[in-house]
DNA sequence: CTGAAAGCGCTTACAG
DNA sequence: CTGAAAGCGCTTACAG
């Protein structure tokens, strides 16, 4: 039915070993022989069976995933998705090893990366802290032929093979457009609350937001950014104080975590002049707030997709196979109350 | 390293054939024997290698995809994605057969479905026309043990095993909320243009849109629906006439195809009082219109994702394996000019 | 530079 | 009810 290596060997008049050599671009085949085999492959319309190839190689893929031990809901769901993906991957000969490191701790991350250099897995995925020591550790990895992939937060200007995550600048601009369009009848002030601007993705989101706001909706004043360090209680206090002080706030962009505090502050505020709100990450808190009308739009990235994508990309790197770009593009998702997935 | 059937056979004191029987739940094993094998599997932490299993079965999966030969951009990209997926699938032992039928032609669809009953592929994916004859053809398929999956447009109350597509009612509600929030400062009229309300998904989108509009933004009058039959020229004419006649139109929801005509009509209209516009499907025309500010938001479904999902679901059905629900959920995507993918 | 043989982990007739 | 043997499509030492 479907031609196999045997068919090629027969029509090219060579052995299986030789077919395999040209199939995998290994040396030690005369140009002429190589040509005959290639010709046979083309004329028969050969397509290699990757499952059989992997089986024959008997290879077990080993991938390390290095995560910050952050307790925010997004990191939690990322870890949950990884665990269930790891279980499923076992039946496809990939073994996943999860390494937790203290959050925002550059030293710990470098150490974990170095540990990989010694254990030599086939690939590593990590949530980057964007500093030079991390960049150097990444270089050491690629030096050892270990494919590295950044997850959620990228490592700029580095040797990582791929970044699995959203474009945070674009996310910020998207938030600006949503708020700008939502608040088009007004010209009040816009507030922004972040976790910390020291975090790369938060900074990027803010930059994108501020730039788009200034360009396309200049009538709105952007208030000095508030830093809530992703903690609900702190966010609640900051937002409550702000709303009490400034009655002209028409829009609010929450670009970090700690949304439980945000929602509490909004609910406590007079429903007459609540601001229009765009927040990040879909979880139980933001979904509920969307339904109640406290938050008007949520920007999100799909943790499950990110995990599956990282594994596919790592596997493709190990096998030197191409990826399907459309499948690995992580979208900036926008949720209103109406397009939330049912089961939440 | 990873335990295999041999390990189980040895520790349970049985042959490979017996291990295989309990592994695949086949009859002809004494309860006691079955128990011993199960125990061995658990104690060793056995996980079956699906690649090896498929190879041994030597099975070639055959799936039929039945598409309307519609020329709108969405159907085009659906077909393009299918072709590239089909090529890749070959290396995973799945053979895809594309069948084109005249659009909206229930008889042709039924005929194509019946042809499947004879050719007996392992599964069928089709864009449903929602009528009883189609439902009956679907019953015949399941009667033959052929797994059927609907794509893009569902077949209500039927024996299809799965629906790959978006919730069109929710899409309509999402459009209503976007327009309602965008136009919150005003109370003008809202226009809706569809392909044809005889098409199931268009009707669903309209129903969702009208319901959400009435409930949450009752200040806006909804004008009688316009039917452009997904043709650019017709849509252009209808929209031009409308905008000329009614200067109070603040919002427009285009829930079908033919957006090239929509964009022309908008561009020709005085830029002072252009309406806020939400349209469906991301393509070259709508992407460009987003960038130029003629369209403000685009609702979309990812054709590549839908095709890959259909294939995965069909394969899982054939193997009686579970799917990963989160991976198969087709999202209602929202695009603003800021979160468009780069390469368009 | 090339080939014969064994093996990857599973399944499938077939025999008993 | 159970097992021995061959085979799925590829790869890998090893020998020449």
């Amino acid at each position: 039915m479907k031609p196999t290596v045997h068919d090629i060997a027969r029509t090219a008049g060579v052995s299986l070993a030789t077919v395999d050599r040209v199939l995998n671009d290994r040396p030690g085949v005369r140009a002429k022989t190589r040509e005959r085999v290639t010709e046979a492959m083309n004329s028969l319309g050969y397509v290699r069976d990757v499952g059989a190839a992997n089986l024959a190689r008997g290879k077990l893929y080993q991938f390390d995933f290095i995560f910050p031990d952050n307790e925010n809901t997004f990191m939690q769901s990322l870890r949950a998705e990884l665990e269930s993906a790891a279980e499923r991957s076992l039946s496809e000969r990939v073994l996943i090893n999860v390494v937790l490191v203290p959050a925002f701790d550059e030293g710990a991350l470098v150490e974990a990366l170095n540990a990989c250099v010694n254990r030599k897995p086939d690939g590593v995925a990590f949530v980057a802290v964007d500093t030079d020591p991390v960049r150097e550790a990444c270089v050491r990895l690629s030096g050892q032929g270990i494919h590295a992939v950044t997850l959620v937060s990228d490592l700029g200007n580095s040797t990582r093979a791929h970044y699995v995550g959203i474009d945070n600048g674009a996310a910020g601009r998207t938030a600006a457009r949503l708020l700008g369009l939502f608040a088009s009848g007004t010209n009040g002030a816009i507030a922004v609350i972040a976790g910390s601007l020291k975090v790369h993705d938060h900074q990027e989101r803010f930059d994108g937001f501020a730039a788009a706001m200034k360009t396309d909706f200049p009538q709105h004043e952007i208030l000095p950014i508030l830093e809530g360090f992703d903690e609900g209680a702190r966010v609640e206090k900051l937002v409550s104080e702000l709303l009490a002080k400034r009655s002209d706030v028409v829009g609010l962009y929450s670009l970090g975590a700690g949304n439980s505090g945000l929602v509490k502050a909004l609910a406590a505020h007079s429903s007459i002049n609540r601001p229009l709100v765009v927040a990040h990450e879909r979880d139980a808190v933001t979904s509920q707030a969307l339904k109640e009308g406290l938050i008007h739009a949520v920007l999100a990235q799909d943790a499950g997709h990110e995990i599956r994508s990282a594994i596919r990309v790592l596997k493709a790197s190990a096998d030197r196979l191409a990826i399907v770009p459309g499948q690995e593009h992580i979208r900036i998702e926008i949720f209103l109350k109406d397009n939330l997935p049912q089961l939440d």
Side-chain angles (χ1 to χ4, degrees), chain A:
Chain A
M1 185 106 226
K2 235 182 95 189
T4 73
V5 278
H6 291 95
D7 300 313
I8 300 179
R10 200 175 335 107
T11 91
V14 298
S15 73
L16 289 182
T18 297
V19 172
D20 189 68
R21 285 186 192 102
V22 352
L23 210 56
N24 293 290
D25 250 333
R26 273 189 284 266
V29 186
R30 259 194 312 172
K32 280 218 173 156
T33 314
R34 186 177 295 274
E35 216 171 281
R36 258 190 307 154
V37 174
T38 313
E39 208 168 299
M41 278 169 42
N42 291 336
S43 72
L44 294 183
Y46 175 74
V47 181
R48 160 222 240 111
D49 182 322
V50 290
N54 281 337
L55 175 58
R57 284 197 194 102
K59 176 175 177 110
L60 244 191
Y61 300 84
Q62 304 227 36
F63 301 139
D64 284 3
F65 275 68
I66 306 176
F67 280 179
D69 64 357
N70 253 348
E71 275 317 307
N72 69 57
T73 54
F74 177 67
M75 277 299 162
Q76 278 171 13
S77 63
L78 212 58
R79 294 210 297 271
E81 290 288 352
L82 181 62
E83 267 166 50
S84 80
E87 232 170 276
R88 289 191 305 267
S89 302
L90 227 49
S91 68
E92 275 149 24
R93 333 193 100 247
V94 350
L95 215 75
I96 286 169
N97 179 28
V98 186
V99 180
L100 290 186
V101 296
F104 308 125
D105 182 337
E106 151 187 34
L109 176 57
V110 169
E111 213 174 295
L113 254 14
N114 287 340
C116 290
V117 176
N118 297 326
R119 306 200 312 96
K120 289 198 196 303
D122 301 285
V124 177
F126 65 104
V127 179
V129 176
D130 196 2
T131 66
D132 284 329
V134 176
R135 244 178 296 280
E136 286 154 20
C138 191
V139 168
R140 280 191 292 278
L141 281 179
S142 13
Q144 293 296 314
I146 301 173
H147 301 274
V149 152
T150 50
L151 196 62
V152 178
S153 197
D154 199 8
L155 182 57
N157 195 22
S158 76
T159 55
R160 96 282 191 280
H162 186 92
Y163 163 56
V164 179
I166 62 170
D167 176 339
N168 284 295
R173 293 196 297 278
T174 302
R177 190 155 319 272
L178 281 172
L179 276 183
L181 287 169
F182 288 173
S184 57
T186 74
N187 53 16
I190 303 276
V192 180
I193 181 150
S196 158
L197 287 192
K198 288 198 201 118
V199 186
H200 200 69
D201 39 349
H202 288 196
Q203 178 71 57
E204 284 183 330
R205 287 174 191 174
F206 179 70
D207 291 345
F209 181 80
M213 213 67 209
K214 270 172 205 146
T215 308
D216 293 333
F217 307 96
Q219 70 273 28
H220 296 290
E221 177 195 358
I222 300 181
L223 300 178
I225 193 166
L226 304 172
E227 290 185 300
F229 298 98
D230 290 352
E231 294 163 22
R234 261 165 122 140
V235 171
E236 179 178 4
K237 184 151 175 289
L238 288 169
V239 174
S240 299
E241 287 172 359
L242 174 75
L243 293 180
K245 200 165 59 185
R246 303 270 314 222
S247 61
D248 65 332
V249 173
V250 296
L252 196 155
Y253 176 35
S254 165
L255 59 78
N259 284 320
S260 59
L262 169 68
V263 170
K264 276 186 206 151
L266 291 168
H269 192 61
S270 151
S271 67
I272 307 296
N273 61 345
R274 280 193 196 128
L276 290 153
V277 180
V278 174
H280 268 268
E281 306 315 339
R282 178 173 67 80
D283 58 23
V285 167
T286 56
S287 296
Q288 184 58 30
L290 272 177
K291 285 179 197 149
E292 293 174 1
L294 290 171
I295 291 181
H296 301 83
V298 164
L299 302 188
Q301 50 195 321
D302 186 319
H305 186 197
E306 294 184 319
I307 292 296
R308 291 186 293 270
S309 178
I311 296 174
R312 276 193 302 261
V313 169
L314 249 16
K315 187 126 184 284
S317 296
D319 290 339
R320 293 152 199 280
L321 256 37
I323 62 173
V324 181
Q327 186 171 19
E328 311 312 345
H329 174 246
I330 309 296
R331 309 190 239 338
I332 298 169
E333 303 187 303
I334 304 177
F335 291 102
L336 307 184
K337 73 186 277 193
D338 311 281
N339 66 333
L340 282 173
Q342 294 303 315
L343 302 168
D344 254 13

